[in-house]
């Protein structure tokens, strides 16, 4: 069996992150680990944690680091995280979370942290075109502003550790998927050459 691949993906809402995560799952056989999906699952299941998370999510705020780190720690302890590897989506969102992630991974380092980059203007017009109920102009602006605020420091944190690869996402789905593969393949090669 091939070696596990460990990735993190960042991207503004509307950047096509969901589509490209599905591509990574198909291409590399990794598990898609989305903290947003896990939290929405907990809300739907009506667990105690879900009830707590719901109010925070509805307000558009971040769930506390303690809760989210606990969820991710448990998820990454499952077998598939070690055997097939994973693409983390929506985590880490704070530097505190990034530090805990490194601690959880220990001697299983990340291959790459991908920033799927689509300009602010483009994602704004894509979201408006989508016409979802929560896609009001104000809502869109608020979520995108929050992303810049919360995520830029985390991107810089990974860039300082030489893990960040920026992939230009302002192209067709297929072209972006190819660019992503190139970035991931070269990260895998680099990792295997430093291990050799
Ligand atoms: P997402 O689908 O990734 O945008 O996540 C939906 C919501 O879940 C966010 O607006 C946050 O309230 C919460 N959430 C998801 N991931 C995290 C995280 N890593 N840290 C804190 N809150 C999170």
């Amino acid at each position: 069996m091939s070696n596990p691949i460990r990735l993190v993906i960042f991207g503004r809402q509307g950047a096509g992150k969901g589509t490209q995560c599905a591509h990574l799952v198909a291409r590399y056989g990794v598990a898609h680990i989305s903290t947003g999906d896990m939290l929405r699952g907990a809300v739907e299941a009506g667990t105690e944690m879900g009830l707590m998370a719901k109010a925070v999510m509805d307000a558009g705020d971040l769930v506390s680091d303690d809760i989210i780190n606990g969820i991710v720690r448990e998820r990454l302890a499952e077998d598939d995280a070690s055997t097939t590897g994973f693409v983390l989506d929506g985590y880490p969102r704070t530097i505190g979370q990034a530090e805990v992630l490194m601690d959880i991974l220990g001697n299983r380092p990340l291959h790459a942290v991908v920033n799927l980059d689509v300009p602010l203007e483009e994602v704004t017009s894509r979201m408006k075109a989508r016409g979802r109920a929560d896609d009001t102009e104000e809502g869109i602006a608020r979520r995108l502003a929050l992303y810049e605020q919360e995520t830029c420091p985390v991107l810089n944190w990974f860039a300082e550790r030489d893990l960040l690869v920026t992939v230009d996402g302002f192209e067709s789905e297929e072209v972006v998927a190819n660019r992503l593969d190139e970035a991931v393949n070269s990260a895998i090669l680099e990792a295997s050459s430093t291990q050799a």
Side-chain angles (χ1 to χ4, degrees), residues 1-195:
M1 207 169 81
S2 55
N3 291 325
I5 313 294
R6 292 174 292 271
L7 305 169
V8 175
I9 190 162
F10 283 97
R12 296 185 173 98
Q13 269 195 319
K17 195 157 51 91
T19 308
Q20 295 303 333
C21 278
H23 166 74
L24 290 170
V25 168
R27 172 77 176 75
Y28 296 99
V30 291
H32 180 206
I33 302 183
S34 154
T35 45
D37 284 352
M38 288 196 281
L39 289 171
R40 282 182 287 273
V43 171
E44 242 171 66
T47 65
E48 200 178 323
M49 197 259 295
L51 289 177
M52 272 195 316
K54 187 176 185 322
V56 178
M57 290 165 79
D58 285 348
D61 292 328
L62 290 182
V63 173
S64 78
D65 280 4
D66 278 353
I67 291 182
I68 209 84
N69 287 332
I71 295 176
V72 173
R73 193 180 284 278
E74 261 181 37
R75 181 64 187 84
L76 289 178
E78 286 177 32
D79 284 348
D80 61 347
S82 297
T83 53
T84 64
F86 52 81
V87 53
L88 273 171
D89 169 4
Y91 179 93
R93 266 199 177 60
T94 64
I95 292 186
Q97 292 177 14
E99 285 167 347
V100 169
L101 173 62
M102 293 315 204
D103 177 60
I104 295 172
L105 292 176
N107 61 0
R108 302 180 291 172
L110 291 172
H111 289 89
V113 176
V114 178
N115 178 21
L116 188 60
D117 191 36
V118 176
L120 207 52
E121 277 174 27
E122 170 65 14
V123 291
T124 307
S125 70
R126 282 186 195 176
M127 280 202 272
K128 279 184 193 157
R130 209 164 63 166
R132 252 174 33 185
D134 58 340
D135 284 348
T136 58
E137 203 147 333
E138 233 175 43
I140 294 169
R142 177 174 152 68
R143 276 178 282 148
L144 288 174
L146 199 74
Y147 180 83
E148 305 302 311
Q149 214 179 321
E150 77 187 31
T151 308
C152 283
V154 186
L155 288 177
N156 290 337
W157 192 91
F158 281 115
E160 283 162 15
R161 281 153 187 82
D162 262 343
L163 280 167
L164 190 71
V165 201
T166 295
V167 170
D168 181 357
F170 193 16
E171 266 293 353
S172 70
E173 222 175 277
E174 207 184 357
V175 170
V176 176
N178 286 334
R179 285 182 181 162
L180 209 52
D181 287 353
E182 272 172 33
V184 172
N185 288 342
S186 73
I188 293 169
L189 266 180
E190 205 174 304
S192 62
S193 69
T194 52
Q195 275 163 20

